[in-house]
Amino acid sequence: MPKRSLSNRPTLPAARVSNRGRAFAFALLLGLGGCHTFDHIVVDRIGDTVSAGGTVFTGDTDPQLVLDALPFGLKTYESLLAATPQHRGLLLASARGFTAYAYLLQQNADLDAKLDYADRRALDRRIRALFLRGRDYALRGLARDDPDIDAELAAGRPLARLRTRDVAFLYWAGTAWAGAIDASKGDPGLLVQLPLAAALMQRALELDDAYDAGAIDEFFVTYEGTRPGGDAAAARRHYERALALSRGARASLYLALAESVAVRDQDAAEFRALLQRALAVDPNGVAEWRLINTVSQRRAVWLQTRVPILFLDEEK
């Protein structure tokens, strides 16, 4: 089953700080207005603004600051979606935002040695719910172009109606779904849904195999490297493809191979080498990857302490 590295590289919801507070104020004012058509025009315009791309969050090097800031942004998105439920940009921003928030919580939980079993289980339930919330927003976005997507997934039918413009929704739906499964710690009710997450990712790969500099290939590194019956050779092929597309500048990719194939093969030497490559990445090399590189490098340091636990032949 995919481990954390499956969502090792979620991109956080992009927003422009100068417009976010303004957007929220507008949303409050709209609740007092009486012109339904005008309200929707303004909310659509605000939605376009707050869901636009940028590096306000993804370019930060303080994960805790971003984690603390995310809830306000996410509830702002939801308040705007209440007025325009089919707004494509807001659905995508909500999908990636809830997924990223769940991922950051999960990373913090992994590294927190003070969490006892009961507290971690409770936190995992919350993380799973957040991942599923992100997945559902992404599926809503996909349903705009394919109203039968739920039935098609359940029946294993090709997602032929979806096109290149749907790749981001496919990616975030698959990432969030896999994240929820990981947070469920073997819950069979969710574990059997893993192929559905993979089907979304496979369609995304067919439509745009270079999406986000190898993000989809990175997903499949962990998917093939950790699932029961997975193909380690396929995982390595996806790793090489993602490495070429990202030019080696994303630390999370090295962790994906380390925590999947290297652990599965019990190759401690490769595991250590991959962690060193992750730590050698310049976190400021690509502005929009500063946050994910910072998070990944913190995880790499933590993983170095877990070698005796992950590898049977290593000294305790």
Side-chain angles (χ1 to χ4, degrees):
M1 183 181 70
K3 300 184 185 302
R4 278 52 180 178
S5 53
L6 200 54
S7 40
N8 252 344
R9 44 145 353 272
T11 309
L12 292 173
R16 299 173 185 174
V17 171
S18 61
N19 289 315
R20 173 162 289 169
R22 191 179 311 146
F24 188 64
F26 266 121
L28 293 176
L29 289 173
L30 289 175
L32 303 176
C35 179
H36 182 76
T37 301
F38 177 74
D39 288 357
H40 278 263
I41 291 172
V42 175
V43 171
D44 281 342
R45 190 69 58 83
I46 298 168
D48 292 339
T49 299
V50 301
S51 61
T55 60
V56 172
F57 286 166
T58 60
D60 208 303
T61 57
D62 187 337
Q64 190 60 48
L65 177 64
V66 173
L67 186 64
D68 292 342
L70 274 171
F72 174 79
L74 296 176
K75 294 308 296 181
T76 300
Y77 293 158
E78 289 192 319
S79 69
L80 294 170
L81 275 171
T84 56
Q86 296 301 311
H87 191 285
R88 189 177 184 86
L90 288 172
L91 287 170
L92 181 57
S94 298
R96 67 192 180 200
F98 277 103
T99 303
Y101 185 50
Y103 165 77
L104 288 175
L105 284 174
Q106 193 175 53
Q107 291 295 309
N108 276 3
D110 281 352
L111 274 60
D112 188 351
K114 297 179 181 179
L115 272 181
D116 62 25
Y117 178 79
D119 287 343
R120 179 60 197 261
R121 292 286 289 174
L123 184 54
D124 280 339
R125 287 192 292 272
R126 183 184 179 213
I127 290 168
R128 178 179 62 181
L130 289 165
F131 272 130
L132 291 175
R133 202 157 163 180
R135 177 204 65 179
D136 289 347
Y137 280 120
L139 290 176
R140 276 174 58 182
L142 292 170
R144 287 168 49 94
D145 290 337
D146 185 357
D148 299 323
I149 186 169
D150 289 339
E152 289 168 353
L153 280 170
R157 297 199 300 270
L159 305 176
R161 297 183 192 175
L162 300 177
R163 296 291 181 262
T164 303
R165 77 181 200 135
D166 299 305
V167 169
F169 282 118
L170 285 163
Y171 173 79
W172 288 107
T175 296
W177 211 332
I181 293 168
D182 185 39
S184 298
K185 299 295 181 284
D187 178 355
L190 270 177
L191 185 57
V192 296
Q193 298 175 14
L194 184 58
L196 303 182
L200 292 164
M201 286 295 201
Q202 184 59 44
R203 181 56 176 158
L205 194 65
E206 292 166 0
L207 292 168
D208 184 0
D209 64 356
Y211 173 75
D212 198 12
I216 304 170
D217 281 294
E218 186 171 325
F219 172 97
F220 279 111
V221 171
T222 301
Y223 176 76
E224 291 293 351
T226 59
R227 71 179 176 89
D231 186 341
R236 290 188 183 277
R237 288 194 297 272
H238 284 293
Y239 169 79
E240 293 298 335
R241 170 70 172 161
L243 190 65
L245 290 170
S246 66
R247 299 183 180 182
R250 201 161 53 219
S252 58
L253 176 60
Y254 302 111
L255 301 192
L257 190 66
E259 292 191 77
S260 59
V261 177
V263 172
R264 177 171 161 174
D265 291 347
Q266 286 293 283
D267 189 337
E270 181 182 41
F271 184 83
R272 289 192 176 95
L274 287 165
L275 297 188
Q276 286 301 321
R277 292 189 71 179
L279 291 169
V281 169
D282 178 3
N284 297 309
V286 180
E288 59 266 33
W289 294 345
R290 284 193 194 111
L291 183 64
I292 189 59
N293 279 334
T294 299
V295 172
S296 297
Q297 289 180 335
R298 289 184 182 183
R299 185 172 183 84
V301 171
W302 174 73
L303 285 169
Q304 287 177 324
T305 70
R306 294 182 59 78
V307 170
I309 299 171
L310 296 171
F311 296 90
L312 298 177
D313 292 337
E314 295 295 309
E315 293 183 3
K316 302 293 183 181

